[in-house]
Every structure is written in structure tokens, then in C-alpha cells.
Amino acid sequence: MAAKAGDNPDSLMALSTAFCLRNLRRTMCYLGDGNKLCLRSDVFLPSEICDKLVNTYMELVHSDSNFEPQDGFFQLFSDPRSTRLTRVQLREDLVRDRDLEAIGKQDLIELHLTYCNSLSARSLKTLASFRQTLVSLSLFGCSHIFYRKGGAPLACNEDDEEEEEQQRPASRQALDTDFSFQGFNRLRLLNLGGLPEEVDPEALLKPLPALTSLDLSGVQLPRAAFLAQWKERLASLVLYNVDLSEELVNTVVELGHLRHLDISRERTSKFKMTRKILTAIVQGLVNLVSLDISGHIMLDNCTVPHLEEVTGSKNEDQVLNAIEAYTEFRPELAHRAINQLFDIARIQHCSQLLRALQLVIAALKCHKYEKSVQVTGSAALFYLTNTEYRSDQSMRLRRQVIQVVLNGMEQYQEVTVQRNCCLTLCNFSIPEELEFQYGRVNLLLLKILEPARQDESIQRIAVHLCNALVCQVDNHHKEAVGKMGFVKTMLNLIQKKLQDRMCDQVMEFSWSALWNITDETPDNCQMFLNCRGMSLFLDCLKEFPDKQELHRNMLGLLGNVAEVRALRPQLLTPQFISVFSDLLDSKADGIEVSYNACGVLSHIVFDGPEAWGMEEPLRDTVMDKMMAAIQSWDVTSRRNINYRSFEPILRLLPQSIAPVSQHWATWALFNLVSVYPSKYCPLLVKEGGIVLLEKVLELQTSHEETKDMARYDLTY
């Protein structure tokens, strides 16, 4: 048997790292003075473990909503005698100046900071402490790191600084002019993408003659000649979204050791790419392995035949290469490539499913705040997880998809993202595949359904998912979801549909969801009554007298309420009993509405004549009508119902207070075990039904028809 895509289990290292991070105080740490997180004195960790801890910590913070950031986490790595860091990747606003300062004594070899906009010039001072060891440095998108916060001195308290910054205009931020790369003698790879215009790249880079890789994406280069200082060493140069000029192109052509050149752009420019320019680049850079010129307006026939492995949109390989190449630093291009993948999965066939899914998942994790990536990524996931590809996907991979979809739902209330995410969830077996995130997914769906006027398609999908999630799950799941406001949310949807006089799928799914969530769950039944559920039941019955599916769902729900003895008195009013009695004559949905109405009444009359407490309608009259209805049903009817337990039916068997209730219960069992013997015969035996049916035969008050059905039940 072939392995499914993504079948390889997580390594022991990965599992152990995640466990330690989720349980710091139970493994590596203790709470010291002032509730400060401290590393245990007997813990000594090598760089392989420390690097993994820090980088996994960042991943969990950004991709797992259940993971809480730990204040003082980076302080755990402040002492190189007990912890060693060498390769660290930090991203986004979570990272503060004090976090970088905490690891300032470490001998870092690689430090990648991406979109760390909370860092100020204080962190430049910390960078200087790594100058003797640092080989690779990225400050991509860290636009504030060259400025002092609020014009304040570098040594001030960060908490005070942040408070001051909120009160001062951005213009008060002062450019730091003290930092220099002097002494960074081992630095070979440098990414300064997004460097502010006020910073002079030539002056900043002058002390770094040994660079072999340089990324100046989006940086203004008014004087390009300074790049020639690396003509004997530079192997990789990225000038993405840099305005090209004749001077710049001529300088680049001098860099004869270049193997990778990227002069692509996301937006158009005045510079036009001609065959002459392209030929000059290719012929001048004889060691070139990859060239990215995407985004340029091409004049005449600009082709380079021998450079075939370049990203693009020609085929699936190129599209996946593009997603992989552009995801981290160029979300706008990754978005376009994912859109191409979406078309491949939708119209053609994706032959590299595992790689495609992993790349889209990585892009969605990396850019959870980038709307364009979230829209195209969630749409691509819908097609990559549908029935056509499902058999090739492992449980582990599908769980990763679910996690990233839920992340998108949490971050974006935008209609398209929400719709795509909900549709993708519909590709999974519900509730089984979503059970590991059961509470989270229910909360997100209920949040979607909160607005008074939600997009109709999202509302329909979300209610469908809610209904599926509470069907065939344990009672403790239903109780937990009930406490989240599930019952009230469904009733609010029903109320809105009533106001619009519209009985659509949302209305029917909402009643179906209430039927499922109240099954053997008294607390949820109580919530239904407390939230004016019975009033809405009557209003729906009056407004939509011919909607069979609606009636079935409503009566099924009320059957659950009637099973709760403490709640039955609230159903025992002349109005409600008359309505239930009238519905005994219903032919809607076969026998289902009549059957459910009779079930409700069976539980009510089972409480005895002393509980009836009203003159009209008479209890005996209602029971006669119940018996007539039961006798009119075809016992071979196939049913649109699903029992997880017979307990509510079995409790009506050995009694003489209401023989008609006993008759209804016996008929129900007879119908179910004869029409669906393989499903319901084992359940009847398991729950002690045989003994109770034998008692029915012993009771003198049992009707002969009831005894006949009981005998048939026993023969099965």
C-alpha cells in the first residue's frame, strides 16, 4: 500500500519541543520572584535544542490560537553558560527591543528578523553585540529599527517608551545615525529589504566588502556604482521592486560572479526591458543559474532559451516554484502564484498534491494578516482537499489544513475569506475530522452567525456546519457548545427569517441543529424554553403551514424537550396540547410529523392524569386520537430519523399509567428493528429492551395490539 501525502510523523525532537513550550513550568522552568519565568538551575541546553525552542515558539505564537505567548520567554536564553543560540528567526510585532536585548550575549551566526515593526534603534545596539559571529542577517521589513522611539534616548525604559510613543506623532521619531556595520567581518548574507529612504545604503554597506549575498528589495538606489565593490564576491543579488536605470544595469553586469539575480517587480515602471538589455545581462553574467525578471514590460521578443528553470506560470512546476520562492518576502507575488495553482486544481489536475498543500499552508501561516494571500490560499485549499484528492491525503496533513483554515477564520471577518474557509471545512468528515478542534470551530461559526444581516451564502454554509457538528457527538460536546450560546444563536436566526417571512435552508438547518443539540441534553432543552423557543415554534407553524421538513425538525426538537420530565409542565398548556394533537393528523414527510407529535404527547400523558391539570382538551380525548394516529401508520415505513439510544422509548414500556404511550413506544421499536434490523437489534439488546418487552407481555393493561408488536420485537 502506498503512503498517503504527508504521512510522515513528526520527529521526536519536534514533539518534545512543542510539549516543553506548552508546559514550560512543568519541564524547564519555574516561577521566580515577581512571577518571573526562570530557567531551572540544572538545565543546560545546546544550540540545536535552543534554536529549535525559539523558532518553534515563534511558529506556535503565529499559527496556534491556543498557544499563549510567555512574558519573559527570551530571558530564558540570556546566559550562554546554560543556553546556546546560534540560528534564530523572529517575525512580526510580537518581538520587542527587550527580547533582542535578552539574547544579546549569545554568539549568533544567523539572525533573521522579518516585519519586526516593534523594534527600534535600541535593537541596533544589540545587533552590534553579534558583530564578531554573525554570518547571516535579515532585517526585511523592519522599517522602524533605524529610528529612535519618540526621539527618546536609547537607554530609556521600554515600557515608558511605548507609552510615550502612543502619545507622540510619528514625526517625532528620530533617525539613528550612530549604527555602523563596522566590525561585522564574518557577515556574508545580508537582507535589507524595505530599508527606509532616509537611510543611505551606500554608507551603511561600505564596511562590508566580503558580502556574497545581498537583498535590497524596495530600496532606492540613486547611486548604483557602489555595488561594484562586490564584483569579485557577490553570488546573489536581489533588487526586487528597485527602480532600474541604465547605470544600475551596467553596474550589475559587472558583477561577474553572480549566480542568482532578481530584478523582478510587482508594479510597472518607466524602465522597459528590451532584448538588448536582457542579452547583455545573460552574456555578461556567465555564471548565472537563475534570473527573475517577472513584472517587467517586455519589448520585442525577449527570450533566453537556455534558462528554462525559472519561476513563472507556464506549468505546475513553475507555479509551485514561484510560491516557494516568493512566500516569505513577497506576499503580493505569492498571491498571484497561488491563484495560478487555484486554476490548476479547479480546472486541470494538481499532480504534486503534497508539495502544493504544504506550500499553501506555509503561505497562509506566514501571511495571516495579508488579505490577498488569505483569499487565494483558502480558495486553493477548497479545491486541493475535495473528493478528487482526498484519498491521497493523510490525517496529519488534513489536520494541518484545518488548523490554517481556522486561523484564517479567526483573523478575517471579510466575506470571501469566511466563505472559502467554511466551504473548505465542508470537505472534511464532520464531526469526526474536526473533533480535535471541536470547541474552537464551533466558537468561530457562532461568531460568523452573530451579525444581524450576514451574507446569505456564508450563513447557509455556517448553519449547515453547525448542524453537522452537533449531530452524532457525545453529550458533553453538546453541553459545551450549548454554553457557548449555540441555542440562542439558532433561535436568533429563526427570528430573523420569521421577520422576513422566509423559510429557506437557513431556517430548516437552524431547527435541525436545535433538534440535534437538545438530544438527551436537558440543559440545552431548558435554554430552548428560556429563549422563547416555544413562541417561535408556534409562529413558524402558523407562518409556514405547508413546510414539511420544517415541521419534522421542529417536532423532533420538541420530542427531546418532552423527554425531560422537569420541563414537561411547560408544555402542558391548552394551546400547546391542542397544537400537538392537531399535528397527529399531519401527513407531512410521510409519518414523521405525526410520529414526533405522538412522541411528545406520549411523554406528557405518561406523567399521569394528576399532572394534566386542565379541562380542555381532555386527556382521554387526546389519548384516543393518539391511538388512532398510530394505527394509521404503515409499520414498514422507512424513516428519516436516527436514534443513538432507545432509553427515552424504553422508559415508556413497563407501565400502566398511559397504555397509549406504551403502544407508541412498542410501535417505534417494532418499526425500527424490522426495517433496520442490523442497526437497531443490537441496540435493543444492549440497552435491556428484551426484558422490558417481556414485561409488556405480562401486564394486563397492555393492549393486545401492543403485545403482538412486542412479540414480533422479541423474535428479531
Side-chain angles (χ1 to χ4, degrees):
M1 181 186 295
K4 292 186 177 182
D7 241 351
N8 294 333
D10 288 327
S11 67
L12 183 57
M13 176 70 155
L15 293 171
S16 302
T17 302
F19 179 83
C20 288
L21 289 169
R22 295 179 190 278
N23 302 275
L24 283 173
R25 278 176 277 177
R26 291 168 52 196
T27 53
M28 305 161 43
C29 306
Y30 67 95
L31 284 182
D33 296 338
N35 284 335
K36 180 183 176 183
L37 197 64
C38 301
L39 195 68
R40 284 172 38 186
S41 60
D42 58 346
V43 172
F44 299 91
L45 302 174
S47 61
E48 294 84 358
I49 292 177
C50 290
D51 292 349
K52 187 77 172 175
L53 283 168
V54 171
N55 296 329
T56 303
Y57 174 82
M58 294 303 298
E59 183 179 341
L60 288 173
V61 165
H62 288 106
S63 63
D64 189 341
S65 64
N66 295 320
F67 185 81
E68 289 291 331
Q70 292 284 335
D71 190 37
F73 173 77
F74 291 94
Q75 196 64 38
L76 299 176
F77 305 90
S78 60
D79 188 350
R81 293 173 297 180
S82 55
T83 55
R84 293 285 180 90
L85 284 171
T86 54
R87 293 175 170 82
V88 175
Q89 299 178 12
L90 310 177
R91 63 182 300 118
E92 299 182 12
D93 296 352
L94 174 78
V95 185
R96 308 281 176 168
D97 290 324
R98 61 174 174 264
D99 299 325
L100 215 53
E101 287 169 353
I103 61 174
K105 294 180 181 179
Q106 296 286 352
D107 293 333
L108 293 187
I109 296 173
E110 293 180 8
L111 176 60
H112 291 185
L113 304 174
T114 307
Y115 298 117
C116 297
N117 288 317
S118 295
L119 297 182
S120 72
R122 278 177 61 186
S123 290
L124 290 179
K125 186 177 180 181
T126 307
L127 281 183
S129 66
F130 306 130
R131 62 182 178 275
Q132 294 180 358
T133 58
L134 213 53
V135 174
S136 177
L137 172 65
S138 172
L139 301 178
F140 186 88
C142 301
S143 56
H144 298 163
I145 198 169
F146 290 93
Y147 297 92
R148 300 180 183 182
K149 286 187 176 177
L154 291 181
C156 74
N157 179 274
E158 184 173 17
D159 294 329
D160 295 339
E161 221 176 81
E162 289 171 1
E163 187 176 339
E164 286 182 23
E165 186 186 15
Q166 293 173 0
Q167 300 169 359
R168 299 183 182 188
S171 59
R172 293 291 300 277
Q173 293 188 342
L175 185 69
D176 180 83
T177 56
D178 298 332
F179 177 75
S180 168
F181 277 117
Q182 194 70 43
F184 285 73
N185 298 326
R186 298 190 63 192
L187 195 61
R188 298 293 181 270
L189 294 85
L190 179 61
N191 187 334
L192 292 177
L195 188 73
E197 289 184 26
E198 294 88 342
V199 180
D200 181 359
E202 182 176 352
L204 187 65
L205 294 168
K206 190 174 182 180
L208 299 172
L211 287 181
T212 59
S213 175
L214 179 61
D215 188 328
L216 294 174
S217 295
V219 178
Q220 298 300 314
L221 299 175
R223 302 179 305 279
F226 79 94
L227 294 173
Q229 67 177 303
W230 297 293
K231 63 182 179 181
E232 300 299 330
R233 300 189 63 95
L234 206 60
S236 175
L237 178 62
V238 177
L239 299 175
Y240 169 67
N241 268 352
V242 173
D243 291 331
L244 296 184
S245 64
E246 186 176 344
E247 179 196 7
L248 179 53
V249 172
N250 290 337
T251 303
V252 168
V253 172
E254 291 181 36
L255 307 176
H257 289 268
L258 277 184
R259 294 174 57 80
H260 306 282
L261 174 62
D262 184 343
I263 52 174
S264 63
R265 58 187 304 106
E266 182 264 336
R267 50 188 181 273
T268 58
S269 71
K270 296 178 182 178
F271 186 85
K272 302 297 185 286
M273 183 66 67
T274 65
R275 183 180 182 86
K276 180 180 178 181
I277 293 171
L278 194 56
T279 301
I281 292 172
V282 174
Q283 291 180 349
L285 302 176
V286 295
N287 294 309
L288 211 57
V289 174
S290 69
L291 171 65
D292 193 339
I293 56 172
S294 55
H296 281 283
I297 295 176
M298 313 295 283
L299 299 182
D300 46 58
N301 183 22
C302 292
T303 57
V304 187
H306 71 278
L307 285 178
E308 295 183 357
E309 296 183 18
V310 180
T311 65
S313 57
K314 180 182 177 182
N315 53 45
E316 184 178 326
D317 277 329
Q318 286 191 349
V319 168
L320 295 178
N321 288 343
I323 299 173
E324 186 169 10
Y326 297 141
T327 284
E328 186 171 10
F329 299 129
R330 304 183 199 174
E332 63 280 359
L333 294 184
H335 146 68
R336 294 182 187 177
I338 294 171
N339 204 39
Q340 294 284 341
L341 176 63
F342 164 79
D343 286 336
I344 290 172
R346 179 174 63 94
I347 302 170
Q348 305 169 33
H349 178 79
C350 180
S351 59
Q352 301 177 57
L353 178 65
L354 175 59
R355 187 183 177 205
L357 274 174
Q358 289 175 333
L359 288 173
V360 174
I361 289 169
L364 288 170
K365 282 183 176 180
C366 190
H367 298 290
K368 63 180 182 180
Y369 301 115
E370 191 74 34
K371 178 184 171 183
S372 61
V373 173
Q374 291 295 321
V375 170
T376 54
S378 55
L381 285 181
F382 170 70
Y383 284 100
L384 291 170
T385 56
N386 67 16
T387 307
E388 179 184 356
Y389 301 106
R390 183 171 184 171
S391 61
D392 298 324
Q393 297 166 11
S394 68
M395 181 179 73
R396 178 169 172 262
L397 186 64
R398 287 176 70 80
R399 283 191 169 192
Q400 290 176 1
V401 173
I402 291 168
Q403 290 272 27
V404 84
V405 164
L406 297 183
N407 289 346
M409 292 172 69
E410 279 176 338
Q411 296 298 329
Y412 277 91
Q413 302 306 309
E414 197 273 336
V415 171
T416 309
V417 174
Q418 294 284 359
R419 184 189 299 115
N420 290 349
C421 290
C422 286
L423 283 170
T424 301
L425 290 178
C426 292
N427 286 338
F428 293 82
S429 298
I430 304 171
E432 295 83 7
E433 287 192 281
L434 298 183
E435 193 158 5
F436 80 107
Q437 292 281 291
Y438 192 78
R440 184 184 178 200
V441 69
N442 273 289
L443 275 174
L444 288 169
L445 290 170
L446 293 178
K447 187 175 181 181
I448 287 174
L449 294 170
E450 274 179 12
R453 293 296 171 194
Q454 177 61 273
D455 176 85
E456 192 70 28
S457 62
I458 296 178
Q459 198 176 65
R460 184 173 62 253
I461 302 164
V463 174
H464 163 72
L465 287 168
C466 283
N467 186 26
L469 281 163
V470 294
C471 182
Q472 299 298 304
V473 293
D474 293 336
N475 290 350
H476 74 274
H477 279 322
K478 295 181 182 181
E479 289 167 358
V481 174
K483 291 173 183 175
M484 294 176 187
F486 188 100
V487 174
K488 188 172 183 179
T489 298
M490 294 301 132
L491 290 173
N492 286 341
L493 290 173
I494 292 167
Q495 177 71 59
K496 290 164 198 162
K497 291 299 178 182
L498 263 173
Q499 291 170 357
D500 296 340
R501 305 185 71 179
M502 182 184 296
C503 182
D504 57 4
Q505 285 186 321
V506 172
M507 169 75 90
E508 292 180 353
F509 283 157
S510 297
W511 279 109
S512 179
L514 288 170
W515 182 4
N516 283 319
I517 201 173
T518 53
D519 182 29
E520 298 182 48
T521 317
D523 287 350
N524 291 341
C525 293
Q526 179 73 67
M527 287 184 211
F528 170 78
L529 296 177
N530 292 347
C531 295
R532 295 182 58 253
M534 290 304 296
S535 175
L536 289 174
F537 159 67
L538 294 176
D539 291 343
C540 285
L541 207 59
K542 181 180 179 181
E543 185 67 39
F544 311 111
D546 301 320
K547 293 293 184 179
Q548 299 185 18
E549 182 83 4
L550 176 69
H551 293 185
R552 180 180 70 88
N553 292 342
M554 292 194 298
L555 267 296
L557 156 65
L558 293 179
N560 292 337
V561 177
E563 289 172 6
V564 184
R565 181 164 191 162
L567 301 180
R568 286 201 284 268
Q570 297 185 55
L571 302 181
L572 214 104
T573 70
Q575 183 183 25
F576 293 152
I577 297 299
S578 296
V579 169
F580 299 145
S581 183
D582 290 343
L583 288 170
L584 289 170
D585 298 327
S586 172
K587 304 301 180 187
D589 200 15
I591 68 168
E592 297 301 334
V593 172
S594 178
Y595 171 88
N596 285 330
C598 197
V600 172
L601 290 169
S602 293
H603 288 287
I604 292 173
V605 298
F606 176 61
D607 289 338
E610 64 280 359
W612 194 256
M614 59 180 141
E615 295 182 3
E616 289 292 336
L618 291 172
R619 181 172 179 269
D620 287 346
T621 303
V622 172
M623 289 196 295
D624 288 344
K625 194 169 183 181
M626 289 167 63
M627 183 62 76
I630 297 169
Q631 290 173 338
S632 71
W633 301 337
D634 180 359
V635 79
T636 64
S637 298
R638 300 193 71 80
R639 308 299 305 285
N640 193 2
I641 198 168
N642 184 42
Y643 281 99
R644 291 189 305 128
S645 171
F646 281 152
E647 195 278 329
I649 295 175
L650 295 176
R651 73 172 73 132
L652 299 176
L653 289 179
Q655 49 93 8
S656 56
I657 298 172
V660 70
S661 301
Q662 183 189 67
H663 191 67
W664 174 84
T666 309
W667 188 96
L669 294 173
F670 181 39
N671 167 253
L672 293 168
V673 299
S674 59
V675 177
Y676 308 99
S678 61
K679 179 177 182 180
Y680 288 119
C681 284
L683 184 62
L684 181 66
V685 174
K686 177 184 175 183
E687 296 192 335
I690 302 300
V691 174
L692 297 175
L693 286 167
E694 288 172 345
K695 289 183 178 179
V696 169
L697 296 176
E698 297 170 3
L699 289 171
Q700 294 183 354
T701 54
S702 300
H703 291 287
E704 280 305 314
E705 288 180 62
T706 307
K707 291 183 178 181
D708 287 343
M709 288 188 293
R711 291 188 189 97
Y712 280 115
D713 288 339
L714 290 170
T715 61
Y716 279 96

